[in-house]
Amino acid sequence: MRTKEAAPPKWRRIAETLAAELQAGAWKPGDRLPGEYALAERFDVNRHTLRQAVSHLENEGLLRAEQGRGIFVPDPPIHYAVTPRTRFSDNVGRAQRRPSRQLIKSSEVPADAAIAEALEVPADTTLIRLETMSFADDRPVGIVSHYFCKARVPAIVEAFKAERSITAALRRCGVPDYKRRTTRISAQLISNADARLLGVRRGRAVLVTDSVNIEPDGRPIDYGHGRMLGDLMTFVVEF
């Protein structure tokens, strides 16, 4: 006697239907899907069931849900070149996107052992920390914490507020050029605080970069700790 197979859960059937529609070109990259309420009504399910389907498609890289904005078909990831001349604006511009940055907050902090070593300053040296959000076409793609020695660039906060660019802000502070010394790349799940700031759900993967930029004479000028949304960025190491 054959055992009757259980029907797949509703959320999986919804996910399969939406995936087929995406494959057929019902929506293009960058398009926003109908809202949660409309989709739940279409499939005659509650919003919790719909969110299970959307979450599954997010994990598959087929959809992207943004808090307060909606459900989108993701654009192709930005190929972010990691080179001695790494610049956020250049990488985003090459992808035909519009780059911008926003200051979340600034503060003065003592250098911990790891950052002091990276910046080649004594531990507890006063640093200026800039917490910045990076955008591509007005869409948040990541957060970077920059650390500068206050004695070297005391006006970096005001300069960044005026320029909205690390490169331009450093130039305004008397640092005409810099290059990348090291970049360490790892992956982790997004923190709750970063998820709230970026307007994404908890559990998203982020690519973490810990980098050191140096002046032409070799002195470290900037230590950066970045968290970029993994489905929006692909890091390419160029030699």
Side-chain angles (χ1 to χ4, degrees):
M1 180 177 177
R2 295 177 60 185
T3 303
K4 186 177 180 180
E5 294 184 3
K10 287 183 178 180
W11 71 262
R12 185 171 293 279
R13 296 201 301 271
I14 295 168
E16 290 172 351
T17 298
L18 291 175
E21 292 176 352
L22 289 164
Q23 182 68 27
W27 298 283
K28 302 184 296 296
D31 283 352
R32 183 168 62 181
L33 272 66
E36 278 189 353
Y37 182 82
L39 287 173
E41 189 174 60
R42 171 191 168 187
F43 291 107
D44 193 25
V45 295
N46 58 42
R47 292 169 72 181
H48 174 73
T49 299
L50 177 72
R51 286 171 183 166
Q52 285 182 289
V54 171
S55 179
H56 174 76
L57 293 173
E58 277 194 283
N59 292 336
E60 295 292 315
L62 298 177
L63 290 179
R64 183 186 70 253
E66 297 183 12
Q67 291 179 0
R69 297 192 69 221
I71 304 167
F72 295 84
V73 181
D75 290 306
I78 295 169
H79 284 228
Y80 197 98
V82 180
T83 73
R85 305 291 303 174
T86 295
R87 300 290 188 270
F88 173 78
S89 58
D90 292 344
N91 276 303
V92 175
R94 277 194 294 269
Q96 304 301 309
R97 316 277 181 87
R98 186 177 68 259
S100 61
R101 277 185 162 172
Q102 173 185 315
L103 180 64
I104 300 171
K105 63 180 179 180
S106 63
S107 58
E108 293 186 10
V109 297
D112 64 24
I115 297 178
E117 181 179 4
L119 291 177
E120 298 178 5
V121 297
D124 294 327
T125 294
T126 300
L127 306 178
I128 296 176
R129 178 174 63 193
L130 299 184
E131 197 85 1
T132 66
M133 188 178 297
S134 302
F135 296 82
D137 288 340
D138 298 323
R139 180 173 300 156
V141 296
I143 295 171
V144 184
S145 304
H146 292 274
Y147 295 83
F148 305 92
C149 181
K150 181 181 179 181
R152 177 68 182 92
V153 284
I156 190 67
V157 176
E158 292 74 16
F160 184 83
K161 287 179 179 178
E163 301 288 352
R164 299 291 185 92
S165 159
I166 293 296
T167 300
L170 284 172
R171 189 179 300 119
R172 180 179 279 227
C173 290
V175 182
D177 194 21
Y178 63 90
K179 66 179 181 179
R180 184 65 55 90
R181 171 186 278 175
T182 60
T183 302
R184 185 178 64 209
I185 304 171
S186 58
Q188 66 182 41
L189 295 180
I190 194 168
S191 69
N192 291 344
D194 284 350
R196 284 193 297 272
L197 287 169
L198 292 170
V200 299
R201 293 177 180 171
R202 291 178 292 178
R204 289 277 288 273
V206 289
L207 295 171
V208 179
T209 59
D210 289 284
S211 57
V212 178
N213 289 318
I214 59 173
E215 298 186 63
D217 63 5
R219 287 184 298 167
I221 185 64
D222 170 28
Y223 175 85
H225 177 65
R227 292 87 72 198
M228 313 303 286
L229 292 172
D231 56 332
L232 302 184
M233 290 281 183
T234 298
F235 286 99
V236 181
V237 180
E238 297 183 357
F239 297 93

